[in-house]
Amino acid sequence: MIIGLLLFSFLPVSIAAEQGSYKTKDEVVYTTLNPNGSQKEMYVVNSFQIKEKGDLEDYGDYKSVKNLTDLSELSLAKNKVSFTASTDTFFYQGNLEEKPLPWNFDISYQLDGKVIPPDQLLGEDGHLKIEIATSKNENAGDIFYENYLLQIALTLDTSKYENIIAEEATVANAGKNKQISFTLMPEQEQTFVLEADVVDLELNGIEISAVPSSMSIDSPNVDEMTEDFQSLSDATGEINDGVGQLQQGISELNDGVASLENGSNQYQNGINELDNGSEELINGSSAINEALSKMKESLNQEFGAGDFTELINGLKELADGLESTEKGLSSLQENYDNAYQALDQAITAIPDYEISNDEINQLKQSTDDEKVVDKLVETYKQARKTKATYKQVKEAFSVVSPTLKEVNGSLTKMVTSLRTMSKEITNATDPANIEQSVTKLQEGVSQLASKYQEFHNGLKEYTNGVHKLSNTYTDLDDGISELGEGTEELENGAKELHNGTTELADSTSEIPEQMQKEVDEMINEYDKSDFKAISFVSEKNEKVGTVQFVIKTEDIKKSDDKEEEKEEEQKEKSFWDKLWDLFR
């Protein structure tokens, strides 16, 4: 009676069926792979959420179809499946052949370092290494590869496997088994590796599921990080400004050292000329001193009017010689004063500040070019040394000009006295006056000869001092020249350093914006929340809700278990068996 009612219930449906409709259609693609990853079998389970019961159509390049909902027949013709839906949810299976998956899987096995074919692994012992390489299948469409993530899972029996190593995998306990799971993001190709020590090898099939990466990724709050990078950008900008000021200061220092070098060269030339003229000056002074001595002796003897003529001429010649010497010394004093002033201004312009070791270390840390900093430190030390040396010899330099001035004054007085004597002798005509003048002349010449002897001795000491100063200053002038070369190199190095810090400041100034841009691009790359599924089997299918892939490799197990499972899978229930199952 029940059987009759069931049979009768199908009859009106098949006779009175009308055009139906569905809300959505889902596809689950089941694929069996060989242990090495090559594709073996594939079928699709299609499920429909029925809106209006009746006749429906679906599309796919199926070799055969099977109704999984009821006993009604399905029609397959020219890639079109026709069926009548009498329930709220309708399922049917379509078997495919030579339909490529969106991914390629290449699975290899090594035992104790040797590649072993999968069919020779069963029951083996040793160190097992499994490599699962994934790549895009160029023979399939792009949409699933670009929008689906893969989850690869292996289940290992801990009674057979130990010392399991699986980088980039999550490992979980599942009873007595270990569940190893790898995840691959869309548009990625990677090789996953699992290693373990195995005894009496058996391996369940590797399970691979592919699902849409449809989770929405919220943009992370990077404000604190960008603020830190902004602080870095501001700091590098300040460093660049500081290095710019340092470059300007070094440039000014180089200009000052150049002026110092010029002044030092002028001073060196002047002191050398003075030293070279010292011998001539001493010789001239010796001649004058000898002439005064002879004049003194001559005046102590009796002589006539004619003798006065010779005396007058001698006094004039002596006055002319002293006047020429006085002019030479005046010119020398003027050149010396100019050279000394230039030297003093240049050395005084060198800053007195001191740079600590901590400040030097901070400067080294602010740049990658330590050579420039080392040049700066060396130049700084040389400048300090030059200034200290100058302070030690400055007193000797300052004495030269007053001494020359004093000598010039003495020579001027001598010239005036000699010309006065010559004039008085010339004007004297009275013998008494002549005698009186001669007496005064004798006294004056005697006094002049004594004073000039003192002057001559002082002049010799002065020229000796000039000679020593000339020899000593040569070393100082060489040091100033080296300082000039160092500051010039330092200025060039500072320019390079400033160019580098400018480039660093320019590049770091864009870091916050670049970081936000990179974060946005990364999120856009993995955010597939706007993905809309399409049918895997036919572009004609509409209202596709989800498409999922369930992929599994064949087990590597003992043959008895495999055959028993296979027989159970292949055993097909009759209509009466299925009917009886309804009442169990």
Side-chain angles (χ1 to χ4, degrees):
M1 191 175 171
I2 294 173
I3 294 171
L5 290 174
L6 289 172
L7 291 173
F8 182 74
S9 66
F10 289 111
L11 191 58
V13 173
S14 60
I15 296 174
E18 298 180 354
Q19 184 64 39
S21 64
Y22 60 91
K23 300 175 184 177
T24 60
K25 172 204 172 181
D26 297 329
E27 296 177 357
V28 181
V29 182
Y30 293 90
T31 306
T32 302
L33 305 179
N34 292 309
N36 63 2
S38 61
Q39 189 170 321
K40 186 175 181 181
E41 297 176 351
M42 177 185 290
Y43 65 90
V44 180
V45 173
N46 301 277
S47 63
F48 297 83
Q49 298 298 319
I50 303 302
K51 182 178 181 181
E52 295 180 0
K53 299 175 184 179
D55 293 337
L56 295 174
E57 294 178 349
D58 194 41
Y59 298 90
D61 186 15
Y62 300 119
K63 297 302 179 183
S64 62
V65 293
K66 181 188 294 185
N67 190 337
L68 302 178
T69 305
D70 53 38
L71 300 178
S72 61
E73 293 294 330
L74 303 181
S75 173
L76 175 61
K78 296 182 179 180
N79 297 336
K80 182 172 72 172
V81 181
S82 301
F83 56 92
T84 301
S86 58
T87 58
D88 293 336
T89 304
F90 186 85
F91 297 89
Y92 83 89
Q93 173 181 321
N95 299 315
L96 296 168
E97 289 184 6
E98 300 180 358
K99 176 73 172 178
L101 283 168
W103 308 271
N104 290 322
F105 299 98
D106 184 7
I107 305 173
S108 63
Y109 305 84
Q110 295 181 29
L111 196 63
D112 294 331
K114 183 179 179 181
V115 177
I116 304 295
D119 57 2
Q120 298 179 16
L121 287 172
L122 186 64
E124 294 293 334
D125 302 336
H127 183 76
L128 177 66
K129 181 178 181 181
I130 303 175
E131 293 185 352
I132 306 170
T134 67
S135 61
K136 178 183 177 182
N137 191 339
E138 299 296 340
N139 296 321
D142 296 338
I143 189 166
F144 297 105
Y145 175 78
E146 293 175 351
N147 293 278
Y148 276 49
L149 61 83
L150 294 179
Q151 292 178 326
I152 304 173
L154 296 92
T155 301
L156 302 182
D157 185 348
T158 54
S159 64
K160 294 179 177 291
Y161 292 87
E162 60 182 12
N163 302 324
I164 300 170
I165 300 174
E167 297 181 0
E168 303 181 20
T170 57
V171 180
N173 292 320
K176 69 171 186 177
N177 299 325
K178 288 285 187 181
Q179 187 79 27
I180 292 87
S181 300
F182 299 97
T183 300
L184 183 66
M185 298 301 291
E187 300 184 82
Q188 300 295 315
E189 297 184 356
Q190 192 168 347
T191 298
F192 299 106
V193 179
L194 180 145
E195 296 185 59
D197 295 326
V198 62
V199 176
D200 190 16
L201 189 150
E202 283 188 301
L203 182 65
N204 292 326
I206 300 172
E207 298 177 356
I208 305 170
S209 61
V211 294
S213 177
S214 57
M215 64 277 200
S216 177
I217 302 176
D218 294 331
S219 177
N221 186 359
V222 295
D223 291 343
E224 294 184 2
M225 193 178 300
T226 52
E227 288 176 2
D228 293 339
F229 277 115
Q230 187 62 52
S231 299
L232 173 63
S233 177
D234 295 340
T236 53
E238 292 176 2
I239 291 175
N240 184 48
D241 293 339
V243 173
Q245 295 176 2
L246 173 65
Q247 179 193 357
Q248 183 178 359
I250 292 175
S251 178
E252 293 175 359
L253 172 64
N254 188 37
D255 294 340
V257 172
S259 300
L260 170 64
E261 188 174 4
N262 292 333
S264 178
N265 289 334
Q266 293 178 9
Y267 183 84
Q268 178 70 37
N269 294 333
I271 203 71
N272 287 340
E273 290 178 4
L274 183 61
D275 183 40
N276 294 333
S278 295
E279 184 177 359
E280 184 178 351
L281 182 63
I282 292 297
N283 292 335
S285 179
S286 297
I288 293 173
N289 189 36
E290 185 178 353
L292 287 174
S293 297
K294 289 182 178 180
M295 186 183 295
K296 179 181 177 181
E297 293 176 358
S298 299
L299 287 174
N300 290 332
Q301 298 175 0
E302 294 182 358
F303 52 87
D307 295 330
F308 281 103
T309 301
E310 294 180 1
L311 177 61
I312 291 170
N313 293 333
L315 290 174
K316 287 181 179 181
E317 290 179 359
L318 180 60
D320 292 340
L322 290 176
E323 187 174 25
S324 177
T325 302
E326 184 266 338
K327 289 180 180 179
L329 288 177
S330 296
S331 176
L332 177 61
Q333 179 189 354
E334 182 178 356
N335 292 333
Y336 178 83
D337 287 343
N338 292 335
Y340 176 64
Q341 184 177 5
L343 177 66
D344 185 69
Q345 289 176 352
I347 295 183
T348 304
I350 298 176
D352 289 326
Y353 54 74
E354 294 185 4
I355 302 176
S356 66
N357 291 331
D358 291 340
E359 292 173 323
I360 293 173
N361 291 332
Q362 290 177 1
L363 183 59
K364 286 184 176 180
Q365 293 174 358
S366 67
T367 177
D368 293 332
D369 195 350
E370 293 190 6
K371 292 183 179 180
V372 175
V373 178
D374 292 338
K375 290 181 181 179
L376 173 62
V377 173
E378 183 64 27
T379 303
Y380 160 75
K381 292 180 179 179
Q382 189 65 35
R384 297 275 300 174
K385 181 179 179 181
T386 299
K387 191 156 187 173
T389 304
Y390 178 72
K391 285 182 179 179
Q392 295 176 358
V393 300
K394 184 176 181 181
E395 185 176 354
F397 290 167
S398 61
V399 172
V400 174
S401 182
T403 302
L404 289 174
K405 188 174 182 180
E406 184 178 350
V407 171
N408 282 342
S410 300
L411 289 177
T412 301
K413 290 180 181 179
M414 289 182 190
V415 169
T416 302
S417 299
L418 289 173
R419 294 194 185 283
T420 300
M421 280 190 282
S422 175
K423 184 176 180 181
E424 289 180 355
I425 292 173
T426 301
N427 294 332
T429 56
D430 187 2
N433 291 336
I434 293 173
E435 183 178 355
Q436 185 178 3
S437 298
V438 169
T439 301
K440 290 182 179 180
L441 178 61
Q442 288 175 337
E443 293 176 356
V445 169
S446 177
Q447 186 178 3
L448 178 62
S450 295
K451 293 293 183 181
Y452 194 84
Q453 182 62 45
E454 294 178 3
F455 166 75
H456 180 70
N457 293 336
L459 187 62
K460 290 176 65 177
E461 293 179 1
Y462 163 72
T463 54
N464 290 334
V466 169
H467 181 70
K468 291 181 180 179
L469 179 61
S470 176
N471 293 336
T472 303
Y473 191 78
T474 300
D475 296 335
L476 180 60
D477 184 64
D478 293 340
I480 292 174
S481 297
E482 293 178 2
L483 176 63
E485 295 175 358
T487 54
E488 185 175 359
E489 291 182 5
L490 181 61
E491 183 178 8
N492 295 332
K495 288 180 180 178
E496 295 179 4
L497 179 62
H498 188 223
N499 291 336
T501 55
T502 300
E503 184 177 353
L504 176 63
D506 292 341
S507 60
T508 55
S509 64
E510 299 176 358
I511 286 181
E513 292 80 7
Q514 289 178 346
M515 190 180 79
Q516 186 64 56
K517 182 180 178 181
E518 291 291 336
V519 170
D520 293 340
E521 290 179 355
M522 182 179 66
I523 291 175
N524 292 334
E525 181 180 356
Y526 292 108
D527 186 359
K528 308 295 184 179
S529 57
D530 58 347
F531 169 71
K532 292 183 180 180
I534 65 170
S535 174
F536 174 71
V537 290
S538 176
E539 61 183 10
K540 294 181 180 181
N541 293 329
E542 300 176 349
K543 301 179 184 180
V544 178
T546 61
V547 176
Q548 300 180 43
F549 295 83
V550 178
I551 308 165
K552 185 177 181 181
T553 66
E554 290 184 325
D555 297 339
I556 302 177
K557 285 190 173 183
K558 293 180 180 180
S559 59
D560 293 343
D561 297 337
K562 288 188 68 175
E563 289 179 2
E564 192 175 318
E565 291 176 3
K566 189 173 182 181
E567 287 177 1
E568 290 180 358
E569 290 177 1
Q570 292 179 348
K571 185 177 180 181
E572 212 173 299
K573 293 182 180 181
S574 66
F575 168 76
W576 300 109
D577 292 330
K578 294 180 181 178
L579 183 60
W580 179 248
D581 287 341
L582 295 175
F583 301 97
R584 288 181 180 176

